[in-house]
Amino acid sequence: MSTNGPYILVLNCGSSSIKFAIIAPSTGETPLKGLVENLFTASGRLTYEAQGEKIKSTLPAKADHTQALQLIVEILNQFKQLKGQLVAVGHRVVHGGEFFAESALINEAVIQAIHKTSNMAPLHNPANLAGIRSAQLAFPLLPQVAVFDTAFFQTLPKEAFLYALPYSLYEAHGVRKYGFHGTSHYFVSHKAAQMLNKEYEECNLISAHLGNGCSIAAIKHGRAVDTSMGFTPLEGLVMGTRSGDMDPSLPSYMIEQLGYSAADVNSILNKESGLKGISGLSNDCRELEAQAKLGNEQAQLALDMFCYRLVKYIGAYMAVVGTLDALIFTGGIGENSAYVRSKVVSQLYHLGLVIDEALNDEMRFGRSGGIHQPASLPVLAIATKEEWVIAQDSARFAK
Ligand code: AMP
């Protein structure tokens, strides 16, 4: 077992899952990482990987975050040398509202602010808080740090983050665009600046995070100025199961004319739409690519719509950021799907983006690099490392 500490324990608590990892903030070295799934069910399971070995176990029925955290601590107890080098716990927190433009050392006031934001992220923030409370009990001596998905987008100007609704909705209820996937956009945009050999503050970038959730960010002179996700992570691009943009009157039409309940509509837009809804097959891009190749028209349509929406956003953001230094692809699809990247970039030829198909085909499985022809504006595929960003930011608060 490597002992290149200090290390940070990074926790990403979802509504029914916990991702955990021990990460060296200076290098990104990850000697241990794991995943708890299916909390609150009879089939909870825990898998982790350490020293190249994968280990699986089950959880007690209906285990909650606290019980799962106890198991994680038991695992860490088997790796005393690593555990002894932990200097902080970094928590991914989905929604920081307007309270947090950067990461924060967790104290009671920070917990209250996260709690206040929970009504805007009802699935995520309460889970994040459960993780924080459990980790405080398990590691009372370590600083606990909250790293927010929304913080990167607190630089958006009002003209970009406001909806054209009565201003009082913003003032009284915080109705505005917040943006999500901030740690990923932060990581890949900084990495792009390095790859371009340019000061970050001078870079005009567009980063597309394409995974099961998808978002795109416009970054001008090193500041986020727009993004596709909004008040919630539902707005914007076509995603795995989320609709992204649509006519805002559709929910009331579905409720009043088609007889759906508000809960039905919410579930359809979040869980039954996007690639899955259009294809009727799957939210998995790999499967859709395979089916489209076999001639499945709905799979092809889903991919066409996915790419078309993305092309529209890239065009809009090229207008916003000024002279573009690079277009970045990241996330499971952005990092691995040569098909999607090629299909998108080939529709941007007239804007100066030309893909190199050979480079594009090679770029997958965690590799990062340029996928454009020499005369093109740079197009980069970059493997995102959100957990590493959380570790780096948390290390700033370690004693
Ligand atoms: P993420 O949420 O970032 O883990 O990304 C999940 C998405 O990445 C799913 O739609 C996967 O199908 C997609 N993905 C992963 N590997 C590939 C690949 N080799 N080709 C196309 N899509 C991929």
Side-chain angles (χ1 to χ4, degrees), residues 209-213 275 283-287 289 331-333 336-338 364-365:
H209 178 109
L210 311 175
N212 230 331
L275 292 174
N283 59 322
D284 188 316
C285 186
R286 272 168 300 205
E287 189 175 338
E289 286 181 31
I333 297 172
N336 295 301
S337 175
R364 58 187 81 207
F365 307 131

Side-chain angles (χ1 to χ4, degrees), residues 263-292:
D264 291 339
V265 171
N266 198 30
S267 168
I268 289 170
L269 299 187
N270 279 288
K271 296 187 185 151
E272 303 297 333
S273 298
L275 292 174
K276 182 180 175 193
I278 304 154
S279 69
L281 285 173
S282 168
N283 59 322
D284 188 316
C285 186
R286 272 168 300 205
E287 189 175 338
L288 296 183
E289 286 181 31
Q291 290 298 325

Side-chain angles (χ1 to χ4, degrees), residues 349 352-359 370-379:
Y349 180 81
L353 297 155
V354 194
I355 200 141
D356 180 318
E357 293 295 358
L359 287 176
I371 55 171
H372 53 283
Q373 293 192 14
S376 166
L377 290 169
V379 183

